[in-house]
Amino acid sequence: KEQDLTTAIELGIYKHKQHKALRESRRQLETILKSIGDPVITTDIHGLVTFLNVAAQVITGWSEDDIIGKPVQQIFNLNDPRTFERLPCPIIQAIETGNSVWLDGRFLLTRKDGSTLSVGDCVAPIKDENGTVQGAVLIFQDMTWFEQAEQRTRMNTEELQRSNQDLASFATTASHDLQEPLRKVIAFGDLMKRSDANLDEQQQD
């Protein structure tokens, strides 16, 4: 019927506009994520990688072609910097618990070539309008510069402490060296006063 046909056409046009708006929104989101300076990785509900920006590719050594659709554990492995033990994957934790996971310390990320890098990160679950977890997004940072700054600060502090010790030692030595001749002057002066009682006021001074 004409009315049913009209309704079907209007519904089709509406769905087309919705899909177009959704695609545009997705493109904008991907553009934003690609432009972010910090590495970003997103996964689906199963922990399979759906996106990683250029910064994440540079730090991890993995390209989009290598890792899209693969388990995130393949690209993001963390180890304890003290014991080098493998740590639970924070992305899987965020998906399973539905809560954000903060790793405040610095952990070692194993890159594709086997080298390690100090990183700190935060993972948040991706939820739909009903609060159902759909995946997770990971934003992390290369903490190497921070550790280098800490090391420089520590070296500067140690150097300052050594300098202060040397200065204190010099001050003690200088004080002793300056006081010694003064003691002799005072001692000889007292000796002169005692040996000759006929000194006038000017001579005593």
Side-chain angles (χ1 to χ4, degrees):
K1 294 182 180 180
E2 184 177 351
Q3 184 177 357
D4 294 339
L5 184 58
T6 302
T7 302
I9 292 174
E10 290 177 350
L11 183 59
I13 293 174
Y14 174 76
K15 285 185 176 180
H16 174 72
K17 288 181 178 179
Q18 289 295 98
H19 285 304
K20 185 177 180 182
L22 185 60
R23 287 195 301 270
E24 183 63 27
S25 177
R26 184 182 181 117
R27 278 197 296 268
Q28 283 184 336
L29 179 59
E30 287 187 355
T31 301
I32 292 171
L33 292 176
K34 287 179 180 179
S35 302
I36 292 177
D38 290 332
V40 179
I41 300 173
T42 62
T43 72
D44 62 15
I45 186 67
H46 305 293
L48 302 179
V49 177
T50 57
F51 172 83
L52 70 163
N53 65 356
V54 175
Q57 294 177 52
V58 171
I59 283 191
T60 63
W62 294 89
S63 68
E64 282 187 321
D65 295 336
D66 290 331
I67 204 64
I68 294 296
K70 303 288 180 61
V72 71
Q73 296 94 325
Q74 187 173 331
I75 188 177
F76 199 77
N77 292 314
L78 293 180
N79 297 299
D80 188 301
R82 296 176 295 273
T83 64
F84 295 99
E85 293 181 0
R86 177 70 60 85
L87 298 173
C89 181
I91 301 172
I92 301 302
Q93 286 182 314
I95 292 173
E96 291 177 347
T97 64
N99 298 317
S100 297
V101 178
W102 294 85
L103 298 179
D104 296 330
R106 290 176 295 280
F107 300 90
L108 293 178
L109 169 68
T110 302
R111 307 175 71 204
K112 183 181 180 182
D113 61 6
S115 62
T116 58
L117 192 70
S118 294
V119 296
D121 61 84
C122 169
V123 188
I126 299 173
K127 300 180 181 180
D128 61 18
E129 62 274 8
N130 297 319
T132 304
V133 176
Q134 301 294 317
V137 56
L138 163 71
I139 302 176
F140 60 104
Q141 291 182 329
D142 178 2
M143 302 299 288
T144 304
W145 64 270
F146 183 77
E147 289 192 340
Q148 291 174 345
E150 272 192 337
Q151 185 176 6
R152 286 194 296 270
T153 301
R154 186 164 54 250
M155 292 175 62
N156 290 339
T157 301
E158 291 174 355
E159 181 63 27
L160 182 60
Q161 289 175 344
R162 284 194 297 269
S163 178
N164 286 341
Q165 290 174 353
D166 292 342
L167 183 60
S169 176
F170 171 77
T172 301
T173 302
S175 176
H176 177 271
D177 292 346
L178 288 173
Q179 289 180 21
E180 189 60 28
L182 290 177
R183 291 194 191 97
K184 291 181 180 179
V185 170
I186 293 172
F188 280 112
D190 291 341
L191 182 61
M192 289 175 62
K193 287 168 67 176
R194 288 195 299 270
S195 63
D196 191 347
N198 297 323
L199 293 175
D200 59 29
E201 183 177 354
Q202 184 180 10
Q203 292 171 329
Q204 288 182 8
D205 183 60

